[in-house]
Amino acid sequence: MPFDFRRLMPSFVACFVAFAAVVGALQGRAVAAAPIVPHIINLGTQLPGRIMTRVVVIHNRGSHTLRFRQLSTSCGCVTATVSPHTLKAGGTAKLRLRIVTHLDAGPASISALLVGHLGGKAWAREWIIKYVIHPMVVITPPAGALLSTQAIDLGHIKRRQLAKPIVLDVYRGSYPAHWSTLACTCGSAGLLIKVKPLTSRRWQVVIRFPNLDIVGTHDCRLHFSFLNHGKPLAYRLEEDLEFSVRGTLSLVPSSLLIGTLKPSSDYHTDITLWSADPSVTPRFISGRPTAPQYVHVKILNHGTIARITVTPKDKREALPGRLRFLVEYGKTRVVMHENFFAYILKRHGEPVKKLLVPKVRT
């Protein structure tokens, strides 16, 4: 299954702690003279995973030149830029915010902080962006499956279980949109999907497997669309459906937990194929990763080995991803997947970016 980026939440927490330190330092030094009064940007009701932009005009109403020194945000879900960096008295600048709404339902509050110098004094402005997430639908997977904000993981399925359909229960969410019909399609030719309306607030998505001979790890993307009396809404919802079929063919090892890597050295490992049928010799035809700038796949020994090379280069953080292999098994071709995860360390002595806090003259 794809890596749930909530596993990387510690890095977001560290970003928030650094951001809070800036606020605390500014307020601790200057709160008696000029406390920071946050400006509220209320986005209201939003759908999960939406991208939106906001532009804020900043005026220099003082009699001195305003120089911006640092711009930071409390969450990786919002990025900010400001231009120009220097404002003469009476000038204006634009703060551009790019916001990706959270995937989980409920209220959200994120911040952007801009600090600088106005003449010989510290200057700071804070914007708090608020919104509430209401989903269009709520999906309930079958018993034993895992549902995250990233995917529906059906886990391991025995080949004989492919003869039974998989049923997803879908309920109308709390987002205030008018629609009457739910549609669902899949880009994979290996699945048949039918939507059964039960009530005006509940549907069943029935998934069948026309090919009962598939093995290995598979995934497909479900595309949900919503129609109001035949007219489709602009919003689309995409969910990854993942499952692993236990059969006569498997990858060895089944996943790559690479661990920590130094940026100065490459990592190499081999993946092979195992067949429970000794009369059939499987072979790799091709392989490609989701991060080709850092991970490379080379097929060796007439397709019996897939050699994986990880080159850290300028990467200094978590590196999750997936390998996709096209395999020949007898007279058929099978697509197989394998997850990988690595963490690239910083070089010894490599500086860590620090937030600049201007000194306040008293």
Side-chain angles (χ1 to χ4, degrees):
M1 64 178 291
F3 285 88
D4 190 343
F5 286 94
R6 290 183 295 180
R7 299 179 184 177
L8 306 183
M9 187 59 69
S11 63
F12 293 150
V13 172
C15 176
F16 178 79
V17 170
F19 172 80
V22 175
V23 176
L26 283 168
Q27 291 181 336
R29 295 177 181 180
V31 67
I36 301 175
V37 179
H39 301 265
I40 306 299
I41 300 176
N42 195 336
L43 301 180
T45 300
Q46 296 293 335
L47 287 162
R50 307 302 289 166
I51 299 175
M52 59 190 69
T53 59
R54 291 293 185 273
V55 177
V56 178
V57 178
I58 302 170
H59 298 271
N60 180 5
R61 304 188 188 280
S63 57
H64 300 281
T65 299
L66 173 60
R67 293 181 174 85
F68 302 126
R69 300 292 300 277
Q70 183 68 44
L71 175 60
S72 55
T73 61
S74 64
C75 176
C77 59
V78 57
T79 56
T81 59
V82 63
S83 179
H85 293 274
T86 301
L87 286 184
K88 294 182 179 180
T92 60
K94 289 185 178 180
L95 173 69
R96 290 179 170 83
L97 301 167
R98 181 181 183 272
I99 304 135
V100 182
T101 59
H102 293 179
L103 298 177
D104 294 322
S109 179
I110 50 183
S111 302
L113 178 67
L114 182 61
V115 297
H117 277 158
L118 178 59
K121 296 182 179 180
W123 179 96
R125 292 290 185 274
E126 182 185 11
W127 291 267
I128 297 180
I129 305 163
K130 293 186 175 184
Y131 56 86
V132 180
I133 292 297
H134 289 273
M136 188 75 83
V137 291
V138 177
I139 302 172
T140 303
L146 297 177
L147 176 65
S148 71
T149 55
Q150 302 292 328
I152 303 168
D153 184 8
L154 302 177
H156 294 288
I157 300 175
K158 296 180 181 180
R159 291 181 63 187
R160 64 175 180 269
Q161 292 178 297
L162 296 176
K164 295 181 60 178
I166 292 172
V167 178
L168 304 178
D169 285 309
V170 181
Y171 299 86
R172 184 183 294 269
S174 55
Y175 187 80
H178 296 288
W179 58 278
S180 56
T181 305
L182 174 71
C184 182
T185 60
C186 179
S188 172
L191 295 181
L192 296 177
I193 297 178
K194 182 179 180 180
V195 178
K196 294 175 57 178
L198 301 180
T199 68
S200 61
R201 303 190 64 84
R202 184 187 174 193
W203 296 260
Q204 282 187 339
V205 177
V206 182
I207 303 171
R208 298 181 183 276
F209 302 91
N211 182 6
L212 303 182
D213 294 325
I214 59 175
V215 293
T217 302
H218 300 267
D219 65 351
C220 69
R221 180 155 290 183
L222 301 178
H223 304 271
F224 291 92
S225 55
F226 310 89
L227 298 90
N228 186 26
H229 300 290
K231 185 178 180 180
L233 275 61
Y235 175 71
R236 302 287 189 274
L237 173 64
E238 294 187 351
E239 288 283 342
D240 285 330
L241 180 73
E242 304 200 338
F243 55 93
S244 177
V245 182
R246 290 175 173 171
T248 57
L249 181 64
S250 58
L251 297 166
V252 181
S254 58
S255 62
L256 288 180
L257 182 57
I258 300 170
T260 57
L261 293 179
K262 295 181 179 179
S264 57
S265 59
D266 294 346
Y267 171 87
H268 305 276
T269 192
D270 291 341
I271 297 176
T272 59
L273 289 164
W274 178 85
S275 172
D277 185 352
S279 64
V280 180
T281 301
R283 69 182 185 94
F284 291 105
I285 297 176
S286 63
R288 57 184 177 87
T290 54
Q293 65 271 43
Y294 303 108
V295 182
H296 311 277
V297 181
K298 188 175 183 180
I299 308 302
L300 303 174
N301 293 353
H302 305 288
T304 59
I305 294 175
R307 179 152 296 170
I308 313 301
T309 302
V310 181
T311 305
K313 294 182 180 179
D314 57 345
K315 189 78 169 176
R316 301 291 187 274
E317 57 184 342
L319 179 60
R322 164 167 289 201
L323 302 166
R324 181 184 186 276
F325 298 103
L326 180 61
V327 176
E328 187 176 75
Y329 190 62
K331 295 182 180 180
T332 64
R333 290 191 172 186
V334 178
V335 175
M336 304 184 72
H337 299 90
E338 179 160 327
N339 293 330
F340 65 83
F341 182 82
Y343 194 91
I344 315 301
L345 301 172
K346 291 183 178 292
R347 296 181 186 272
H348 179 70
E350 188 171 357
V352 179
K353 292 183 179 179
K354 295 183 178 180
L355 298 175
L356 300 176
V357 180
K359 294 182 179 180
V360 179
R361 295 183 181 180
T362 57

